Amino acid sequence: EGDLTAEIPEDEPEVETVAKPTTAPTQSPSKPKKAEAETGEDSKEVINLFAGKPSFIMPVEGKIAMDYAMDKLLYSKTLDEWRVHTGIDIEAPRGEAVKAVADGYIKEIKEDPCYGITITLDHENGYKSIYSNLASSSMVSVNQKVKAGDAISSVGNTAIFECMDPPHLHYEVYRDDKLIDPKTLLPVSKE
C-alpha cells in the first residue's frame, strides 16, 4: 500500500496503466507502448504512475515576507493574532507586474472580502494558482488562455487581512483541490 510503482514481469504482456492520449501513437505497431518505463539490466520494467510536477516560474520577483504555514502559527500584524497562512507573501513594489506561473486559463476573477482582488488560474493538470492582493482585475477575463510569463495583474493593496504588511502578492497553489506549499513548485531563491 502506498507504492506508486508497479513491476511488470518480462513474460507477461504489458498493460497500459495511464490514460491513453487522444491522438494516435506515432511508434510502430511491432513495439508495445511503454508508459514512463525504465528498463534495467535484468529486463524488469518499472512504471512511474506520476509524470512529475510541473515547472513554474515566479509570479513576481522578491523575498518571501510570510511563509506558507498550515502546520504552525504565524503572527499577523494586521489581525494582531497568531494564525495559519495558506500561501506565501512575496514582497514586491505596488504596481509590479504579476505573471502567470505556467500556462493555463483564467478560471475566476473576484473581489474577496479578506484577500482583495483575486485571480484563479487553472493549469489544466490538476494544479491551480491563486493570486491575491492585486491592484486590478481588468487585465484578463474569465476563460482567457494565458502563457507562463504573461502579465495578469499587478501588485496592489486590496487584501484587508494583510493591509499592514508591506506591498506584496499573496500566492497559493492547489493540487487536485488540496492546498499545497507553493515553494514545492516555484524556483524560490535559497537566501
Side-chain angles (χ1 to χ4, degrees):
E1 185 174 285
D3 186 13
L4 300 179
T5 59
E7 288 192 14
I8 299 175
E10 52 187 313
D11 58 339
E12 294 287 323
E14 189 166 331
V15 176
E16 182 78 11
T17 59
V18 295
K20 293 187 180 194
T22 55
T23 58
T26 56
Q27 62 188 30
S28 72
S30 62
K31 293 181 183 175
K33 182 173 192 274
K34 294 177 183 170
E36 299 292 316
E38 296 175 15
T39 305
E41 292 284 328
D42 60 358
S43 295
K44 284 187 177 178
E45 297 177 285
V46 177
I47 295 179
N48 182 0
L49 298 177
F50 295 94
K53 62 184 178 183
S55 295
F56 283 10
I57 64 169
M58 290 298 290
V60 291
E61 292 303 321
K63 74 173 193 157
I64 295 177
M66 187 169 283
D67 209 350
Y68 172 86
M70 293 304 290
D71 57 352
K72 63 183 177 182
L73 300 176
L74 300 178
Y75 182 71
S76 165
K77 288 186 282 186
T78 304
L79 301 174
D80 190 26
E81 66 183 23
W82 292 87
R83 57 185 300 123
V84 297
H85 193 244
T86 56
I88 59 173
D89 291 347
I90 306 169
E91 273 189 29
R94 195 171 297 164
E96 180 81 15
V98 173
K99 300 172 282 199
V101 295
D103 296 354
Y105 73 95
I106 304 299
K107 182 175 177 79
E108 182 180 42
I109 301 171
K110 68 180 181 179
E111 179 80 36
D112 187 273
C114 301
Y115 288 104
I117 296 172
T118 299
I119 294 175
T120 302
L121 177 57
D122 190 325
H123 302 291
E124 301 181 282
N125 56 4
Y127 290 87
K128 288 183 193 133
S129 293
I130 314 292
Y131 305 79
S132 297
N133 199 33
L134 301 172
S136 170
S137 60
S138 63
M139 290 180 68
V140 290
S141 56
V142 173
N143 294 324
Q144 179 181 335
K145 293 261 185 200
V146 294
K147 295 278 188 195
D150 287 352
I152 61 170
S153 189
S154 58
V155 174
N157 189 28
T158 58
I160 293 170
F161 268 18
E162 299 179 342
C163 66
M164 294 192 62
D165 297 330
H168 67 277
L169 169 70
H170 178 88
Y171 177 74
E172 301 178 4
V173 176
Y174 285 81
R175 180 180 60 215
D176 299 326
D177 295 321
K178 291 184 181 136
L179 198 59
I180 64 168
D181 185 345
K183 296 187 312 301
T184 61
L185 300 172
L186 294 174
V188 177
S189 66
K190 309 291 186 225
E191 294 177 5

